[in-house]
Amino acid sequence: MREEEFSVTPWEVKGKVDYDRLIKEFGTDKIEEGLLTEIKKYTHDLHPLLKRKIFFSHRDLDWILAEYSKGVKFYLYTGRGPSGDVHLGHLVPWIFTKWLQDKFDVELWFQLTDDEKYLFEKKLGIRDAKKFARSNALDIIALGFDPEKTHIFSDIQLSGLLYPQALKVAKRVNFSTTKAIFGFNEQSNIGQIFFTSMQAVPAFLPSALAEKNIPCLIPHAIDQDPHFRLARDVLPKLGYLKPAAIHCKFFPGLKEGGKMSASKREDAIFTTDSKADVKKKISNAFTGGATSIKEQRTKGGNPDKCSIFQYYCYLFEWDDEKLQTIRNECKGGSLLCGECKKRLIERVEKFLEDHQRKREEAKDLLDKYLVEHSKKIFELYDK
Ligand code: TRP
């Protein structure tokens, strides 16, 4: 693959992603300054992930805000494919989703697609997928979503409620469309071809249950856009609104290039990693440093190519001035990679200590967040 080539699908990201080109190819809209000002009217401040253009693209976010200003509340929908442990990259859109929930005081539906992961991951059994769904839910709860307003569910567990809704979508999508959007072929298993209709369901389920249209905003990494492009096409045919979306970039791995991948254990920091793991992984990470200390002192490092610097940007330095200082000191040659890594190790360790404690506490909270039976959902809408 040449440097300028890349590919982004919901199941695989390859090459160095050109996000501006992706906006054009997918047909989404860039988040411009005017829209940021609009968001700020309601949130009063801007999350660093917005300021840093890590959330960089959207569909119909301006419409969601216009409705909100008229007193029409939206709900949030996001999800996770539980194929293994959660790593720090997964937390980025979720942390942002929590910020949105806090600022707009809205409901959140959180889909765990254990069905998807069973269908798409060769080695994963149904039991494994269900087990990961439950353990990943602990990571989600640990982030502190509002228990009264957050509904986490597994597709398999809640299938009795979701399946008839998914059928409505499936009936309106033909084989050639899924082939064109997702690249399926004659060898794809038939569950994969059906799956996107399950991912479409939470984009209208609350409207179906409430028997009135409620706008939906989906924060997600840009690779999931094909699913929602399809959902936006089909939902109006069912009498529902098109879901809006806000998209983020991929969290970089610790090695050169590409997004953080759960398949390479060494390339990512998992929420369940020990201090020793963190230290080892960060110490071995790819940086933008020069080949020798002497050279770095004189010529400086390159933060834009550095995985450690990206960690500060995405999660570990929310203060813009302090981030700028790191950048300047790196470029000026006064901050060397060893020291910069050491500081990051301390932050990640502290973050994980805190997260792991909350994750333990979440075990007692599962019942509050998890929607496991249709009955519980109907109760929600009988209030
Ligand atoms: N398919 C997603 C994944 O593999 C999981 C998912 C389901 C999702 N619904 C979503 C992600 C909504 C973002 C928004 O990770």
Side-chain angles (χ1 to χ4, degrees):
M1 187 177 269
R2 295 206 312 275
E3 169 139 35
E4 63 273 20
E5 282 176 33
F6 64 93
S7 100
V8 174
T9 74
W11 298 286
E12 195 179 40
V13 177
K14 276 193 297 203
K16 191 178 177 318
V17 181
D18 176 340
Y19 289 101
D20 285 327
R21 226 173 87 193
L22 209 53
I23 285 181
K24 285 206 195 92
E25 278 174 23
F26 282 3
T28 65
D29 293 308
K30 195 171 183 158
I31 300 180
E32 308 280 5
E33 289 309 311
L35 188 54
L36 290 178
T37 312
E38 198 59 30
I39 297 172
K40 216 171 156 183
K41 271 195 204 159
Y42 307 100
T43 59
H44 306 296
D45 53 16
L46 282 181
H47 197 282
L49 291 168
L50 277 171
K51 280 194 268 185
R52 294 174 191 176
K53 316 245 180 272
I54 291 169
F55 272 85
F56 71 111
S57 151
H58 75 103
R59 289 185 188 271
D60 285 344
L61 180 58
D62 39 353
W63 164 73
I64 285 278
L65 294 173
E67 289 295 304
Y68 191 81
S69 77
K70 290 186 251 165
V72 182
K73 267 199 178 178
F74 58 91
Y75 71 94
L76 294 160
Y77 157 38
T78 195
R80 150 88 182 144
S83 53
D85 289 336
V86 164
H87 62 56
L88 294 178
H90 297 129
L91 301 182
V92 171
W94 306 346
I95 286 170
F96 184 68
T97 301
K98 164 154 166 48
W99 180 79
L100 289 174
Q101 181 178 58
D102 291 346
K103 293 289 174 176
F104 291 95
D105 187 30
V106 289
E107 305 265 326
L108 164 65
W109 288 80
F110 207 119
Q111 178 179 42
L112 298 164
T113 53
D114 38 13
D115 51 348
E116 174 190 19
K117 293 296 131 169
Y118 172 66
L119 290 165
F120 284 86
E121 304 274 328
K122 263 210 181 79
K123 293 199 188 109
L124 204 74
I126 290 211
R127 250 170 191 277
D128 305 322
K130 287 174 75 173
K131 189 188 82 198
F132 282 129
R134 219 176 163 76
S135 89
N136 292 177
L138 299 175
D139 287 287
I140 297 160
I141 295 168
L143 297 179
F145 291 103
D146 180 344
E148 300 301 322
K149 294 198 161 78
T150 304
H151 320 298
I152 306 174
F153 59 95
S154 120
D155 280 355
I156 294 177
Q157 197 73 36
L158 202 61
S159 52
L161 183 79
L162 304 175
Y163 185 59
Q165 304 295 343
L167 287 178
K168 294 189 204 164
V169 179
K171 194 171 181 174
R172 285 157 184 92
V173 182
N174 59 37
F175 186 36
S176 78
T177 305
T178 53
K179 275 206 284 196
I181 296 189
F182 299 103
F184 293 137
N185 58 43
E186 305 293 318
Q187 271 64 52
S188 308
N189 75 54
I190 57 176
Q192 294 180 336
I193 294 156
F194 172 77
F195 169 72
T196 191
S197 30
M198 290 295 283
Q199 188 152 326
V201 171
F204 66 96
L205 183 67
S207 297
L209 294 167
E211 294 180 0
K212 65 166 196 226
N213 270 328
I214 311 170
C216 169
L217 174 64
I218 314 173
H220 65 88
I222 187 84
D223 61 333
Q224 298 295 311
D225 179 67
H227 286 294
F228 301 120
R229 221 182 299 151
L230 180 139
R232 284 167 57 85
D233 201 41
V234 174
L235 267 46
K237 297 180 187 161
L238 302 174
Y240 298 113
L241 301 166
K242 287 184 181 193
I246 178 162
H247 311 125
C248 66
K249 300 178 179 171
F250 311 116
F251 192 72
L254 289 163
K255 298 277 145 59
E256 194 173 3
K259 78 165 182 177
M260 193 184 255
S261 154
S263 53
K264 290 178 238 142
R265 195 85 204 177
E266 286 314 302
D267 196 18
I269 293 171
F270 292 83
T271 61
T272 46
D273 274 354
S274 67
K275 287 194 171 167
D277 295 327
V278 171
K279 192 165 178 194
K280 190 165 143 229
K281 289 178 185 182
I282 296 182
S283 302
N284 292 331
F286 172 80
T287 72
T291 41
S292 70
I293 292 186
K294 197 170 158 227
E295 194 185 324
Q296 188 156 351
R297 286 270 183 232
T298 48
K299 291 190 185 153
N302 183 353
D304 296 317
K305 273 181 66 181
C306 177
S307 70
I308 302 295
F309 186 70
Q310 294 301 314
Y311 266 65
Y312 286 113
C313 291
Y314 275 72
L315 276 178
F316 293 100
E317 185 51 83
W318 288 148
D319 184 315
D320 291 329
E321 268 177 44
K322 289 187 180 151
L323 186 74
Q324 191 59 39
T325 307
I326 298 175
R327 169 185 276 284
N328 293 344
E329 289 182 359
C330 168
K331 286 178 100 170
S334 63
L335 176 60
L336 297 181
C337 298
E339 174 62 21
C340 198
K341 283 178 170 174
K342 200 173 122 224
R343 291 185 202 166
L344 183 67
I345 290 169
E346 279 164 23
R347 288 197 193 187
V348 176
E349 281 178 354
K350 201 177 156 302
F351 175 86
L352 286 188
E353 203 177 290
D354 197 41
H355 184 84
Q356 286 167 2
R357 193 189 59 234
K358 291 188 190 145
R359 203 175 172 280
E360 273 308 301
E361 291 165 7
K363 290 183 178 160
D364 295 327
L365 302 174
L366 271 170
D367 279 348
K368 261 185 117 44
Y369 287 89
L370 275 188
V371 194
E372 294 192 284
H373 306 287
S374 315
K375 197 167 148 264
K376 199 162 162 189
I377 291 212
F378 290 122
E379 281 165 10
L380 270 168
Y381 281 83
D382 278 346
K383 289 194 280 216

